[in-house]
Amino acid sequence: MMDGEEGEGGPNSQGDGNPKESSPFINSRDLDQSQQYDGKTMALFEEEMDTSPMVSSLLSSLANYSNLPTGSKEHEEAENNEEGPRPSKKPVKAPQLGTLMGVYLPCIQNIFGVILFLRMTWMVGIGGVLGSFIIVFMCCSTTMLTAISMSAIATNGVVPAGGSYYMISRSLGPEFGGAVGICFYLGTTFAGAMYILGCIEILLIYIVPQMAIFKIEGLEGPEAELALLNNMRVYGTIVLSFMSLVVFVGVKYVNKLALAFLACVILSIVAVYAGVIKTAIDPPVFPVCLLGNRTLLSKGYDVCAKVVEVDNETVTTKLWRTFCDSDTLNATCDEYFADNDVTEIQGIPGVTSGILAENLFGNYLEKGMFLEKRGVASEVNADAPPTNSNRYVLSDITSFFTLLVGIYFPSVTGIMAGSNRSGDLRDAQKSIPIGTIAAITTTSIVYMSTVVLFGACIEGVVLRDKFGEGVSGNLVIGTLAWPSPWVIVFGSFFSTCGAGLQSLTGAPRLLQAISRDGIIPFLRVFGHGKANGEPTWALLLTACICEIGIIIASLDAVAPILSMFFLMCYMFVNLACALQTLLRTPNWRPRFKFYHWALSFLGMSLCLSLMFICSWYYAIVAMGIATCIYKYIEFCGAEKEWGDGIRGISLSAARFALMRLEEGPPHTKNWRPQILVLASVDAEQNVEQPRLLSLANQLKAGKGLTIVGTSVQGTFLDNYAEAQRADQSLRKLMETEKVKGFSQVVISSNLRDGTSHLIQVGGLGGLKHNTVLVSWPRNWKHPEHHQQFRNFIEVVRETTVASLALLVPKNISSYPSNGERFTEGHIDVWWIVHDGGMLMLLPFLLRQHKVWRKCKMRIFTVAQMDDNSIQMKKDLITFLYHLRIDAAVEVVEMHDGDISAYTYEKTLIMEQRSQILKQMHLTKNEMEREIQSITDSSRGSIRRKNPPAPRSRHSVDGGAGVAEQPEDEVQLIHSKNASTPTSPVGPGAAAGPNAPAGEREKAKAPAPANPEAGKDLFNMKPEWEHLSPVDVRRMHTAMRLNEVIVKKSKEAKLVLLNMPGPPKNRVGNENYMEFLEVLTEGLNRVLLVRGGGREVITIYS
């Protein structure tokens, strides 16, 4: 929207400096504040007066609201002060133009143009009356259907400057609007080039051929053609420079001349109809000379005869001398000249002559072919090559039906002239539909009638004579005009000049409107102009692009180019109307009622068909340009919310897809992790574990659903602003980490319930998460963080109940960011229990991301005493082959070894700590002292039993500090990413793989089956007899597995591991965390995985 577009709602400017496009709604502050409080009878609404003004004081602004641009006539007075604050507005003069002057006549002037005068007769001669009528009818139907759609859009509110660009951008969004706006701009610019070329063609061929710089006389074939094109280039550049200067000096001169140019057009058309009427009464004398059936150049003869009688003596003519080697009667002549007679026919036999039947069907020609009259005998030696071709009228281009469509279509463009002037109209919503449709009806009738009348009045060879070379160099349509051919020549000359000026006036303003909308960043410089608003820079660019058309120099080559751009523009106008109608958006209330979505779709289909009919390669190029602009705006352009129809389509499509998803769960082949990331925020509402989002991005690679959720403690009324800040923080981090998904913040009285709510209600319909990603609770052994592991275990329980998969990355701060790259290494999968294939699928998904792409996958599985490890390996290799997953396979044999003394000691310490903390309700200081005493005694016990394992003294130090609170005080508090070194536990710590083999052996108990033997051997404490056998076995399993995993996967970049299930009752929470800690001890990056209870990977296609 242009910067000058400012009405009553002008001060309510958006962030990009553009005024609001809606009416001055509730938040309008234009009114004097004192007026809002005058009504003492409305005390009930007093508190809302500052944001909701009284209707009585607002109605005047609403009724007289004019968010209109200054029209082209007011551009001389327009202000351009976009950089700074706007000064007080000048009163805008009330628009006075009605339907006739404001819409009808401008449309007539823009539609009638150069093609009618320079190419219409040639098109009828080449395509025939029937073929040309079909072309005209098709093109006129397209513009009529487009006008109906445009009328609906234009009467659905205010349409400021930019015309079709504004309509499309506000209906289909900034991406489509920008793409089609640029296409419309290019079409208008190339139209300017076409009009200038037409102007030069009329000047150099029909008015003053002597002005040619590159002389055509004496040149033949390609040389003559090149000379003509060079003349067009030189004079075209001169005329373009002059017109650009006129537009730069002042638009008011162009506007004042517009009516004079329009008068020339109307006068010329009236002269044609007068000439047609005259042919019925007295056909004009326009002889055409034929040799056999070939049309001769009029400049090649003086008399249409081989010889003439002068004083009873036969004398050869100029024509004889042209074809023979001398002027004597016995001279050697051209074979075709000798075999065929010379005849003279009337070029315009008249409307009553019946010539229509001969011109009914097409006569398409190859380049260089002779223009031949149908039905005339001709003696041609098929074996002899054609000679003296330059003596005949030849076809200058190869013609075919689709070429005619491309050349003709520009003559029906210009239907947007009325909607572009909506700011100047007294009643735009009434004038635009009536004026535009009336103008198209008028021009369509003229075009269709002239097709028939040209075919009925003019000889076929004359119609096909594009430049009038067979009729003494006259403009063919001029030969028909009355009273003189010069009426048409000068009328069409001034008409093309005016149309060229209009194009050079309108195109820069269109570019300025697009630039000031700010949707295409690199075009913003073209939004600036002179102090009075004239788009200087845009005019300069327009002139440069127009020069490209001038360099092409051929009217027939430029016309299809602008046909493409206009057709694309019209196609999207129809699409916009159809979409708005089908979506039934509440704001779609056009005053023009005579539209239907089916008509719009028909118009859109016609436009698309005509694009490919005209030129399939130009159509592809035009679509490519539009697509590039679309993608550029999508990725780099300013984000705009214009309430466009594409958003409506997105909503409808999303609803339809969600309803389809409700039909049932996805098939295993379509299963992918739809992740709910449970993030935590600190007191400043910043995300504490940004690497969680990095991992989510690496797992998803932009596919599927990702929801990043967090919970804020408090009440909705008190903490809403805090929740908004948290949501912004999530969105910002998601954008940084390139996570495509949604953020969700829940406010709850405690964090535990908030997390539960996220798990329960995340997603919508069938688009729900099936996987939860939550980080391992950091420092869970410290007393101040004891709530974390309780909340964590509750999450594990809830995901199990909800049949959701669970991913728990341990040491999340050490995970790679999206910018890192592993050039080598392994992703190790420890497949201990079957979880539906999650452990197989996750590494495959990770390796799709560039961070993990170079890592190789290894799969380890554990064989017990009764298992055949060799057969297990073969079966696993076969299974992976069927899954199409490349991975190295290893089966690790883990026999039932002895339970070590350290295992018993570790289990005892774990249970003692748990029991003591449950029985004592202590203050924090007392609790810490009690824990310290337990820790000291534990250290002494371990020191006595395991002197060779010095690291084991730290195994309890970090894990002893766990207290318990009542259940209603449990909260989920995720800590920051900085991970402290966890306490080494298990045999890998007491006597790890790096310790001497002897020390590892000493850490084992040789006979676990008999407790008495164990006590005698190790001098065990009597309390060990009372340990839970289940806990001892679990600790033993954790330690043995950890020892094997550390041995095999110590150097792995990532270890994926089955996560054991949580205890069924809450009594064993602390023990569960200890088991997991022991299981993952000594590993840098561990991803604990729990399946969701369903198969997620299949061998079938």
Side-chain angles (χ1 to χ4, degrees), residues 16 18 165 513-521 524 637-640:
D16 55 2
N18 294 321
Y165 157 70
I514 298 170
S515 304
R516 287 184 171 176
D517 258 349
I519 58 173
I520 305 178
R524 282 178 181 161
E639 293 184 4
K640 301 280 182 180

Side-chain angles (χ1 to χ4, degrees), residues 677-680 687 689-697 739 773-775 807 809 812 977:
V677 182
L678 293 178
S680 59
V687 179
Q689 310 101 345
R691 290 295 168 84
L692 268 181
L693 272 70
S694 303
L695 179 61
N697 174 267
V739 174
L773 177 62
V774 60
S775 70
L807 308 179
I812 184 64
N977 287 337

Side-chain angles (χ1 to χ4, degrees), residues 309-325:
E309 292 288 333
V310 178
D311 298 332
N312 296 325
E313 184 180 350
T314 303
V315 180
T316 58
T317 62
K318 180 181 177 182
L319 187 63
W320 178 282
R321 294 190 292 275
T322 302
F323 286 93
C324 301
D325 57 2

Side-chain angles (χ1 to χ4, degrees), residues 290-472:
L290 302 179
L291 177 59
N293 62 357
R294 297 176 182 175
T295 310
L296 291 167
L297 286 174
S298 57
K299 64 183 179 181
Y301 62 89
D302 50 1
V303 179
C304 186
K306 292 181 180 181
V307 293
V308 292
E309 292 288 333
V310 178
D311 298 332
N312 296 325
E313 184 180 350
T314 303
V315 180
T316 58
T317 62
K318 180 181 177 182
L319 187 63
W320 178 282
R321 294 190 292 275
T322 302
F323 286 93
C324 301
D325 57 2
S326 71
D327 56 358
T328 59
L329 290 173
N330 60 354
T332 304
C333 296
D334 180 85
E335 183 180 354
Y336 185 83
F337 180 79
D339 294 344
N340 292 275
D341 295 330
V342 175
T343 56
E344 187 175 73
I345 62 170
Q346 277 301 319
I348 303 178
V351 73
T352 56
S353 64
I355 196 73
L356 178 64
E358 185 181 315
N359 292 331
L360 208 54
F361 299 103
N363 189 4
Y364 298 100
L365 302 173
E366 296 285 333
K367 182 176 182 179
M369 285 181 63
F370 302 109
L371 264 61
E372 299 175 344
K373 177 172 171 57
R374 289 173 175 169
V376 176
S378 175
E379 296 291 332
V380 182
N381 184 356
D383 299 329
T387 55
N388 291 301
S389 298
N390 58 326
R391 307 292 184 250
Y392 305 102
V393 180
L394 305 175
S395 171
D396 67 323
I397 60 171
T398 300
S399 53
F400 39 89
F401 179 80
T402 56
L403 174 76
L404 299 184
V405 177
I407 291 175
Y408 172 73
F409 187 80
S411 64
V412 296
T413 59
I415 62 173
M416 301 289 183
S419 62
N420 288 348
R421 294 168 177 246
S422 60
D424 302 327
L425 301 175
R426 190 183 304 115
D427 185 357
Q429 305 208 357
K430 174 186 174 185
S431 298
I432 289 176
I434 295 174
T436 305
I437 292 174
I440 293 175
T441 304
T442 304
T443 54
S444 299
I445 291 171
V446 169
Y447 282 136
M448 291 179 189
S449 61
T450 52
V451 166
V452 177
L453 292 175
F454 288 161
C457 293
I458 304 175
E459 177 63 52
V461 289
V462 178
L463 287 173
R464 290 187 284 280
D465 186 0
K466 183 186 289 186
F467 301 112
E469 295 170 304
V471 285
S472 305

Side-chain angles (χ1 to χ4, degrees), residues 666-669 671 834-838 879 1092-1098:
H667 192 273
T668 302
K669 290 185 288 187
W671 194 96
H834 183 56
D835 58 354
M838 278 288 288
F879 179 56
R1094 62 160 293 166
E1095 293 294 328
V1096 300
I1097 195 166
T1098 178

Side-chain angles (χ1 to χ4, degrees), residues 775-851:
S775 70
W776 177 262
R778 188 187 63 151
N779 300 335
W780 64 272
K781 297 182 181 181
H782 292 181
E784 61 270 19
H785 297 136
H786 73 281
Q787 293 163 335
Q788 284 192 17
F789 78 83
R790 292 174 174 277
N791 296 341
F792 170 76
I793 295 174
E794 289 302 307
V795 170
V796 178
R797 288 195 175 101
E798 287 174 357
T799 55
T800 304
V801 170
S803 298
L804 300 175
L806 178 66
L807 308 179
V808 182
K810 197 161 181 279
N811 300 332
I812 184 64
S813 59
S814 67
Y815 276 65
S817 66
N818 290 327
E820 296 180 42
R821 304 285 184 277
F822 288 134
T823 56
E824 58 181 1
H826 295 92
I827 299 176
D828 285 359
V829 176
W830 283 85
W831 193 22
I832 299 167
V833 296
H834 183 56
D835 58 354
M838 278 288 288
L839 282 172
M840 305 293 175
L841 186 61
L842 292 176
F844 171 78
L845 294 175
L846 281 173
R847 291 183 66 231
Q848 306 302 306
H849 197 275
K850 52 194 173 185
V851 173

Side-chain angles (χ1 to χ4, degrees), residues 159-181:
V159 179
S164 61
Y165 157 70
Y166 183 90
M167 287 187 279
I168 294 168
S169 62
R170 270 52 176 185
S171 298
L172 295 180
E175 294 88 359
F176 276 109
V180 179

Side-chain angles (χ1 to χ4, degrees), residues 919-930:
Q919 292 171 4
M920 300 174 64
H921 297 277
L922 306 172
T923 65
K924 183 177 180 182
N925 292 335
E926 290 172 331
M927 187 168 59
E928 288 179 354
R929 287 197 298 273
E930 185 65 30

